[in-house]
Each structure stands twice: as C-alpha cells, then as structure tokens.
Amino acid sequence: MSYDVAIIGCGRVGLPLALAFADRGLRTIGIETDPERLEAVRSRRMPFEEPGAEEILRRVDIDWSDRAADAAQADAIILTLGTPSFSHIEIDMRDIRSVLDDLLPVLRPGHLLVLRSTIAPRTTEFVAGYVEKHRGPEVGVFVAHVPERIAAGRFFEEIGTLPCIVGGVGEAAGAAAGELFEVLGAPIVQTSPVEAELAKIWTNILRYTMFALPNRLMMECEQYGANVFEVIDLINRDYPRGGMPLPGFTAGTCLRKDFTFSEERSPAPGMLLAVSRVNESIPLFIVDGLKTRLGSLNGRKVAVLGLAFKADTDDERDSLSHKLIRLLERELADVAVHDPHVPTPTQSFEDAILDADAVVIATNHSEFRRPSVLRAIADSARGDAVLADPWDCFGTQQVFARPAELVAGSAV
Ligand SMILES: NC(=O)c1ccc[n+]([C@@H]2O[C@H](COP(=O)([O-])OP(=O)(O)OC[C@H]3O[C@@H](n4cnc5c(N)ncnc54)[C@H](O)[C@@H]3O)[C@@H](O)[C@H]2O)c1
C-alpha cells in the first residue's frame, strides 16, 4: 500500500491534521502508539474534543498503525510528536529521536520529512544532519519545519486560513513541503528552518509574556488595595498605545514550555523564566487572597470551577488548576472540583458549590460566564463565602468578592 502522507503522533495536533489531509483527498496513514487513542480512532471515535473532527473521522478513510516504520509507505512523513521540556529548561526530544531511529532504515530518496511539532531553534537542521550522518549524503531525504499554529479547539476553523510557515532545509525541501501543505488552502510563507522555529516559539512567548503583565499587575493591585480591572480600563480606554490584556490562569501544554526552547540558550538568561514565575504564581496568589479574607483554610470547603487549561477545552494538561488544588490541599482545605469538559470525573456544579467557603473560577469556560452561575453560587455557598474570579467571568470586576454582595449590588 502506498500513501501520500503519514502522520506520526496522532494527538491533539496530529489527529486533526491527518483528518484534514484525508478530507482533502490525500491517501493518509496515521501512526500512534497509545493503544487507547488508536482504538478510539479505529472505531471512528475522537479521543478528545475538537469541533468538527468526529464528523470527518466518520466519513474519511485513514489507515492506522502503531509502527513508525509504516510511515515509509508514504511520500511525506509528518512528525507531530510531543516535545515537552525537561524541568531544567531543555527541550526533551526523546520521542522525536526514537521515531527518527525507527525511520532511519526505511527512509528513501525523495521522502519528505516534516517536523510539525514545536521545536528549539536549529532542531530541523539537527534532524537533517542526523539523517544524513546515519544514512550518508546520498539518502536524498527532504527535511522541513512546518510549525503547527492553530489553537486546539479551532483547528478546522483556522487550518485553511492561518498563513502556513514553511522552513525547508534547502529550497527543494521548502518547495516539497509547500506543495504538500498547499492542499489545506492557507497561504504558504517560505522561510529558513531557524526562522520558522523562532517564529513559532516567539508567537507563544509573546502571548505568555503579554498575559504575565496583567497577572503581575493583579498582584500589585492587591498589594495597594487597587482594582485591577479599573486600572486596566484606565490603561486601555481611548488610548492608542494601550492594549493590556485581562488577567487569568496562564499555562497549558504550549505556553508553559515553549519559552524554555528559547531560554535554554538565551544570551539574556532569566527574562523568560521571570515571565514564567509570574504566571506560575497566580494559584498561590489566589490561595493567599482567600486566606487574607477567610483566615485559615484548614477544613474549609473550596470549590474549584474548571480543570482545563483554557476555556471550552477538555485538555487539562499543564493546567494551573491542578497546582491550585495542590496548594489548597497543602492548606488542609477540603477541595471540591467541577469541570463540564474534562474526562477526569469531577463533582456536579451543584455539589461543588454547596456550602462552599470559597469558590475559585479557575477556567473561564462559557458554562461559567453566566449571571445564573453567580446567582447559584450566592444561593448555595455559605453566606460569607469568598469568590475568586480573576477572569471576571461575571463582569463584576472584582478578583475577590462576596457573591451575596455581588448579587445584591448588581442586576445579576
Ligand atoms: N496542542 C496544541 O494546541 C498545539 C498547538 C501547536 C503546536 N503544538 C505542538 O505540537 C506537538 C504535539 O502536541 P500535541 O498536543 O498534539 O501532543 P500529544 O501528546 O497530544 O500528541 C503526541 C502523540 O504522539 C504519540 N506518540 C508518542 N510516541 C510515539 C511514537 N513513537 N509513534 C507514534 N506516536 C507516538 C503520543 O501517544 C501522542 O498521542 C508539540 O510539539 C506541541 O508543542 C501543540
């Protein structure tokens, strides 16, 4: 059997990409080692939420395998493997190295090898060098980096429009990768591999840093008894050089680690680590804010609403909610958790907020952004409960407040 394209690593990025190629008529094979994910896709069930994906999965034909070497039956091989970071600020390329070793014996001249994962600068050239070192210069494999830029949850909305950055090792590799990705419909932007790598990681560094600013400001406002939402409004209102975003829990599998791919060789080490420290401090800031208002949390019920790392996703990897829960548990609080999206079993909304001493909106899911939710909290939680809502889900513009007072003081 021969294929147009093989996708190795059918996770949050790889599976929708495989579906998109198959939907455009490419003969596609998906390679995945996780037996649960494989079993799900073989039975045409999505193993995670991605709007629009399941309909395509039911309709298109994709072959599935758990052997990376099977990818050699395709003209183009795309790696969409995880690239986590070691805790000491260094890219963890074990999955990529292991798959490359599986592929080495079966690669043939004319194969296109695309790195779709987010990678540290110079990784694409390393991969091209690794293949050539082990197979000799005559191997004739084209290597390119084509970074994934979509946001999970918006894959099918964005894949056909977001400019597709292509960094080929040499012009022929860039052209081959451009031709492959053109079928998805988005404009192709040719560049060098290292520029593609930097553009991808600095897109995420930009967001991570931008969100650290209101988060840091939120802490400073608490220090001075000021209202962060009012200060942000003063910064932005009718001001052409404003643009301060709103605070919140900033993490997730990309933002929390992609900065390390720059930081690991930074000529100015520490700057991005400081950004990370600010975002990582938000759960502690919330816990301390609750303690300031409630005293000891020992034996107090705290409802955490939201486990996912961002709104309206079931992805809880690298979510700061877990850190918040651990910190609350270290205060001996009784933590109740509710999330309407994640597969991890959680309590019902009603059970979580019942008689709570504190409620934290940890994820701004659309289910929470409703006046009825605030009313329910005011009705069910204890009379003197504290609500922590750094996202301003209810538009009440208070990071910490008494829900009963919020309801009494507004039209909600
Ligand atoms: N999730 C996102 O929104 C997003 C967005 C842009 C870029 N990225 C980047 O894309 C890459 C993949 O991220 P993800 O969220 O899809 O990760 P993921 O963990 O969901 O997917 C990786 C998949 O690879 C599989 N795998 C591991 N070893 C394998 C092997 N030897 N053979 C076949 N499959 C194997 C895993 O089982 C997993 O299903 C990362 O570099 C990430 O930073 C992610």
Side-chain angles (χ1 to χ4, degrees):
M1 185 72 187
S2 72
Y3 301 94
D4 298 311
V5 64
I7 311 286
I8 308 187
C10 293
R12 300 253 171 191
V13 162
L15 178 51
L17 187 64
L19 293 172
F21 279 123
D23 198 27
R24 263 65 166 192
L26 270 62
R27 288 163 302 158
T28 306
I29 178 169
I31 320 278
E32 173 57 57
T33 45
D34 179 317
E36 273 180 36
R37 280 195 168 165
L38 207 49
E39 145 69 18
V41 291
R42 280 186 166 138
S43 6
R44 296 184 185 260
R45 239 182 331 104
M46 277 299 287
F48 47 82
E49 283 179 5
E50 183 59 54
E54 198 149 276
E55 183 272 317
I56 304 175
L57 182 58
R58 278 198 296 263
R59 181 161 48 76
V60 298
D61 286 321
I62 295 180
D63 284 344
W64 306 102
S65 162
D66 60 0
R67 292 181 59 247
D70 286 345
Q73 298 168 51
D75 299 332
I77 302 170
I78 305 182
L79 307 192
T80 44
L81 296 153
T83 46
S85 168
F86 289 119
S87 58
H88 298 291
I89 314 297
E90 175 196 349
I91 186 170
D92 174 355
M93 295 216 305
R94 283 176 294 182
D95 282 353
I96 288 188
R97 286 284 296 266
S98 139
V99 163
L100 276 181
D101 289 337
D102 289 344
L103 289 176
L104 274 178
V106 288
L107 287 173
R108 58 170 193 272
H111 256 146
L112 169 66
L113 186 60
V114 173
L115 294 157
R116 185 73 164 168
S117 306
T118 306
I119 45 182
R122 297 265 180 247
T123 303
T124 312
E125 282 166 8
F126 157 77
V127 167
Y130 191 78
V131 171
E132 200 176 300
K133 178 176 172 182
H134 291 279
R135 287 289 307 275
E138 66 284 358
V139 63
V141 171
F142 300 120
V143 179
H145 180 41
V146 185
E148 182 56 80
R149 308 180 73 208
I150 57 89
R154 295 202 197 141
F155 188 95
F156 294 100
E157 198 185 304
E158 296 188 340
I159 193 67
T161 52
L162 286 188
C164 175
I165 299 173
V166 175
V169 181
E171 259 179 47
E179 206 176 303
L180 172 67
F181 278 86
E182 221 166 46
V183 54
L184 298 176
I188 303 291
V189 188
Q190 292 283 353
T191 184
S192 69
V194 78
E195 280 158 344
E197 292 160 342
L198 287 167
K200 171 62 200 177
I201 61 175
W202 278 85
T203 302
N204 283 354
I205 290 169
L206 176 65
R207 286 174 68 70
Y208 201 42
T209 307
M210 271 171 58
F211 295 136
L213 298 176
N215 284 339
R216 172 72 181 78
L217 176 60
M218 175 166 65
M219 296 187 240
E220 193 156 329
C221 284
E222 172 85 348
Q223 199 180 336
Y224 292 110
N227 183 315
V228 65
F229 298 108
E230 226 169 286
V231 176
I232 291 176
D233 182 55
L234 291 168
I235 294 169
N236 292 341
R237 185 186 293 233
D238 296 334
Y239 193 65
R241 287 168 294 283
M244 179 74 90
L246 290 171
F249 281 64
T250 309
T253 167
C254 290
L255 296 192
R256 210 182 193 189
K257 54 96 178 167
D258 287 353
F259 79 91
T260 67
F261 300 173
S262 166
E263 188 70 16
E264 69 170 15
R265 292 164 197 221
S266 174
M271 176 192 147
L272 298 178
L273 270 180
V275 163
S276 162
R277 294 312 304 151
V278 171
N279 290 325
E280 286 292 310
S281 300
I282 296 303
L284 182 62
F285 164 77
I286 297 291
V287 172
D288 285 346
L290 294 179
K291 282 166 68 183
T292 304
R293 289 156 179 89
L294 290 168
S296 166
L297 298 181
N298 189 346
R300 314 291 291 269
K301 178 175 177 182
V302 183
V304 173
L305 301 186
L307 267 186
F309 81 84
K310 69 171 181 180
D312 303 337
T313 175
D314 63 346
D315 193 348
E316 54 183 297
R317 296 175 302 167
D318 277 304
S319 164
L320 286 179
S321 300
H322 293 288
K323 186 173 192 175
L324 172 72
I325 292 166
R326 288 193 297 272
L327 290 173
L328 287 167
E329 285 172 350
R330 283 166 67 182
E331 297 297 328
L332 302 171
D334 299 327
V335 184
V337 182
H338 167 69
D339 189 300
H341 288 268
V342 300
T344 308
T346 60
Q347 287 175 254
S348 69
F349 171 66
E350 291 74 18
D351 286 350
I353 60 171
L354 184 66
D355 292 332
D357 294 290
V359 178
V360 182
I361 312 289
T363 312
N364 55 342
H365 285 313
S366 29
E367 288 85 346
F368 301 151
R369 289 190 301 246
R370 292 177 186 150
S372 58
V373 169
L374 177 55
R375 277 198 300 270
I377 294 170
D379 288 346
S380 287
R382 301 182 81 87
D384 59 351
V386 172
L387 171 70
D389 178 18
W391 302 100
D392 195 23
C393 272
F394 307 120
T396 52
Q397 307 231 312
Q398 304 287 333
V399 176
F400 296 102
R402 309 265 170 196
E405 288 171 17
L406 290 177
V407 169
S410 72
V412 287

